[in-house]
Amino acid sequence: AFGRSLTEPEAIFAVCEKLHEPLRVAADHGVKLLLEPHGRLTDSIEATERILETCDSEALALNLDTGNVWLGGCDPADYVKTFGPLIEHVHWKDMPAELEASRGTIHGNGMAVIPLGTGAVGIREVYDALVAVGFDGHTTLEVAGDEAVLASRDYLIGLGAA
Protein backbone atom coordinates (compact mmCIF):
# COMPACT_ATOMS: atom_id res chain seq x y z
CA ALA A 1 0.00 0.00 0.00
CA PHE A 2 1.08 3.55 -0.68
CA GLY A 3 3.38 5.08 1.93
CA ARG A 4 3.88 1.98 4.08
CA SER A 5 7.54 1.69 3.10
CA LEU A 6 8.29 5.28 4.15
CA THR A 7 10.21 5.89 7.34
CA GLU A 8 8.36 7.95 9.94
CA PRO A 9 10.28 11.16 9.08
CA GLU A 10 9.58 10.58 5.36
CA ALA A 11 5.89 9.96 6.08
CA ILE A 12 5.65 13.11 8.21
CA PHE A 13 7.30 15.11 5.44
CA ALA A 14 4.83 13.66 2.90
CA VAL A 15 1.83 14.52 5.11
CA CYS A 16 3.05 18.05 5.73
CA GLU A 17 3.86 18.57 2.06
CA LYS A 18 0.31 17.53 1.14
CA LEU A 19 -1.13 19.84 3.84
CA HIS A 20 0.94 22.89 2.88
CA GLU A 21 -1.42 24.36 0.26
CA PRO A 22 -4.71 23.42 2.02
CA LEU A 23 -3.37 25.02 5.22
CA ARG A 24 -2.42 28.18 3.33
CA VAL A 25 -5.92 28.41 1.84
CA ALA A 26 -7.52 27.67 5.22
CA ALA A 27 -5.44 30.41 6.87
CA ASP A 28 -6.39 32.85 4.11
CA HIS A 29 -10.07 32.18 4.82
CA GLY A 30 -9.83 32.09 8.61
CA VAL A 31 -10.78 28.43 8.98
CA LYS A 32 -8.97 25.45 10.40
CA LEU A 33 -8.24 21.96 9.20
CA LEU A 34 -8.54 19.28 11.87
CA LEU A 35 -6.34 16.19 11.94
CA GLU A 36 -8.11 13.09 13.24
CA PRO A 37 -6.36 10.04 14.68
CA HIS A 38 -6.71 7.55 11.85
CA GLY A 39 -3.34 5.98 11.14
CA ARG A 40 0.13 5.17 12.35
CA LEU A 41 1.15 8.83 12.54
CA THR A 42 -1.94 10.48 13.94
CA ASP A 43 -2.53 7.67 16.46
CA SER A 44 0.82 8.56 18.04
CA ILE A 45 1.30 11.55 20.32
CA GLU A 46 4.93 11.89 19.27
CA ALA A 47 4.25 11.70 15.52
CA THR A 48 1.29 14.07 15.83
CA GLU A 49 3.55 16.53 17.67
CA ARG A 50 6.05 16.32 14.80
CA ILE A 51 3.32 16.90 12.21
CA LEU A 52 2.08 19.96 14.09
CA GLU A 53 5.62 21.31 14.53
CA THR A 54 6.57 20.67 10.91
CA CYS A 55 3.40 22.20 9.48
CA ASP A 56 3.68 25.14 11.89
CA SER A 57 0.29 26.57 10.96
CA GLU A 58 -2.34 28.36 13.03
CA ALA A 59 -4.82 26.79 10.60
CA LEU A 60 -4.06 23.25 11.84
CA ALA A 61 -5.82 21.82 14.88
CA LEU A 62 -7.10 18.44 16.05
CA ASN A 63 -10.26 16.38 16.08
CA LEU A 64 -10.00 13.85 18.91
CA ASP A 65 -11.64 10.54 18.01
CA THR A 66 -11.69 8.62 21.29
CA GLY A 67 -12.13 5.20 19.68
CA ASN A 68 -9.63 5.68 16.87
CA VAL A 69 -6.82 6.96 19.06
CA TRP A 70 -7.40 4.13 21.55
CA LEU A 71 -7.45 1.50 18.78
CA GLY A 72 -4.22 2.95 17.42
CA GLY A 73 -2.54 2.28 20.77
CA CYS A 74 -2.59 5.73 22.36
CA ASP A 75 -4.22 6.64 25.68
CA PRO A 76 -6.97 9.14 24.78
CA ALA A 77 -6.69 10.99 28.12
CA ASP A 78 -2.94 11.44 27.56
CA TYR A 79 -3.74 12.74 24.06
CA VAL A 80 -6.03 15.36 25.63
CA LYS A 81 -3.46 16.31 28.27
CA THR A 82 -0.83 16.77 25.55
CA PHE A 83 -2.89 18.59 22.93
CA GLY A 84 -5.77 20.13 24.94
CA PRO A 85 -5.85 23.65 23.46
CA LEU A 86 -5.47 22.28 19.93
CA ILE A 87 -8.50 19.97 20.18
CA GLU A 88 -11.42 21.68 18.49
CA HIS A 89 -13.83 18.78 18.01
CA VAL A 90 -14.39 15.38 19.59
CA HIS A 91 -15.80 12.19 18.07
CA TRP A 92 -17.07 10.14 21.01
CA LYS A 93 -16.96 6.38 20.72
CA ASP A 94 -16.11 3.52 23.03
CA MET A 95 -14.56 0.23 21.96
CA PRO A 96 -15.28 -3.26 23.34
CA ALA A 97 -12.67 -4.77 25.65
CA GLU A 98 -12.15 -7.70 23.26
CA LEU A 99 -10.34 -5.29 20.90
CA GLU A 100 -7.63 -4.65 23.52
CA ALA A 101 -5.35 -7.31 22.00
CA SER A 102 -5.57 -5.60 18.59
CA ARG A 103 -4.63 -2.11 19.78
CA GLY A 104 -1.84 -0.60 17.74
CA THR A 105 -2.72 -2.68 14.69
CA ILE A 106 -6.13 -1.15 13.87
CA HIS A 107 -6.21 2.41 12.63
CA GLY A 108 -9.69 3.84 12.62
CA ASN A 109 -13.22 2.65 13.09
CA GLY A 110 -16.25 4.35 11.62
CA MET A 111 -18.84 3.81 14.33
CA ALA A 112 -18.99 2.25 17.76
CA VAL A 113 -21.64 -0.39 18.31
CA ILE A 114 -21.63 -0.10 22.11
CA PRO A 115 -22.75 2.82 24.29
CA LEU A 116 -20.20 5.17 25.79
CA GLY A 117 -18.96 4.03 29.18
CA THR A 118 -19.42 0.32 28.51
CA GLY A 119 -16.12 -0.35 26.78
CA ALA A 120 -12.39 -0.11 27.37
CA VAL A 121 -11.56 3.40 26.11
CA GLY A 122 -11.89 5.20 29.46
CA ILE A 123 -14.51 7.73 28.42
CA ARG A 124 -14.84 9.19 31.94
CA GLU A 125 -11.08 9.88 32.04
CA VAL A 126 -11.21 11.49 28.59
CA TYR A 127 -14.17 13.65 29.62
CA ASP A 128 -12.41 14.71 32.82
CA ALA A 129 -9.22 15.53 30.88
CA LEU A 130 -11.22 17.64 28.40
CA VAL A 131 -12.86 19.54 31.26
CA ALA A 132 -9.45 20.07 32.88
CA VAL A 133 -8.01 21.66 29.72
CA GLY A 134 -11.07 23.88 29.24
CA PHE A 135 -12.41 22.23 26.08
CA ASP A 136 -15.56 23.98 24.88
CA GLY A 137 -15.81 22.79 21.27
CA HIS A 138 -18.37 20.71 19.47
CA THR A 139 -18.67 16.96 19.84
CA THR A 140 -20.26 14.16 17.86
CA LEU A 141 -21.50 10.76 18.96
CA GLU A 142 -20.11 8.17 16.55
CA VAL A 143 -22.34 5.43 17.88
CA ALA A 144 -24.63 3.16 15.88
CA GLY A 145 -28.16 2.24 16.96
CA ASP A 146 -30.88 4.26 18.66
CA GLU A 147 -30.50 2.61 22.07
CA ALA A 148 -26.71 2.98 22.08
CA VAL A 149 -26.97 6.64 21.02
CA LEU A 150 -29.49 7.45 23.75
CA ALA A 151 -27.50 5.58 26.39
CA SER A 152 -24.34 7.42 25.27
CA ARG A 153 -26.11 10.78 25.49
CA ASP A 154 -27.31 9.91 28.99
CA TYR A 155 -23.82 8.79 29.99
CA LEU A 156 -22.28 12.11 28.90
CA ILE A 157 -25.01 14.06 30.67
CA GLY A 158 -24.30 12.01 33.80
CA LEU A 159 -20.66 13.08 33.56
CA GLY A 160 -21.72 16.71 33.45
CA ALA A 161 -22.04 17.49 29.74
CA ALA A 162 -24.72 20.00 28.92
Side-chain angles (χ1 to χ4, degrees):
F2 178 78
R4 293 192 194 263
S5 64
L6 297 176
T7 65
E8 187 171 287
E10 290 170 336
I12 289 170
F13 175 82
V15 167
C16 294
E17 182 181 44
K18 300 296 184 232
L19 286 174
H20 179 76
E21 184 63 12
L23 286 170
R24 186 195 62 75
V25 172
D28 286 350
H29 292 279
V31 298
K32 292 191 179 181
L33 302 181
L34 304 182
L35 284 181
E36 178 176 343
H38 229 290
R40 71 177 174 117
L41 299 177
T42 54
D43 288 344
S44 159
I45 288 174
E46 295 78 16
T48 299
E49 285 176 322
R50 286 194 282 284
I51 291 169
L52 292 167
E53 289 167 4
T54 302
C55 287
D56 190 28
S57 173
E58 294 290 323
L60 185 59
L62 300 170
N63 173 61
L64 167 62
D65 186 305
T66 60
N68 286 358
V69 77
W70 181 87
L71 280 171
C74 182
D75 180 310
D78 287 345
Y79 187 96
V80 173
K81 291 171 190 170
T82 301
F83 298 118
L86 292 172
I87 298 171
E88 299 215 358
H89 191 94
V90 176
H91 287 171
W92 291 107
K93 61 186 167 203
D94 212 340
M95 294 289 117
E98 50 270 15
L99 290 177
E100 180 79 43
S102 299
R103 288 185 68 202
T105 65
I106 300 173
H107 300 289
N109 180 317
M111 298 288 278
V113 295
I114 62 171
L116 294 179
T118 63
V121 169
I123 297 298
R124 172 181 291 279
E125 292 78 10
V126 176
Y127 179 85
D128 290 344
L130 286 164
V131 169
V133 300
F135 175 77
D136 67 351
H138 294 283
T139 71
T140 304
L141 287 173
E142 287 196 337
V143 179
D146 291 350
E147 288 181 26
V149 167
L150 294 174
S152 296
R153 178 206 59 196
D154 293 345
Y155 182 77
L156 287 174
I157 290 171
L159 293 178

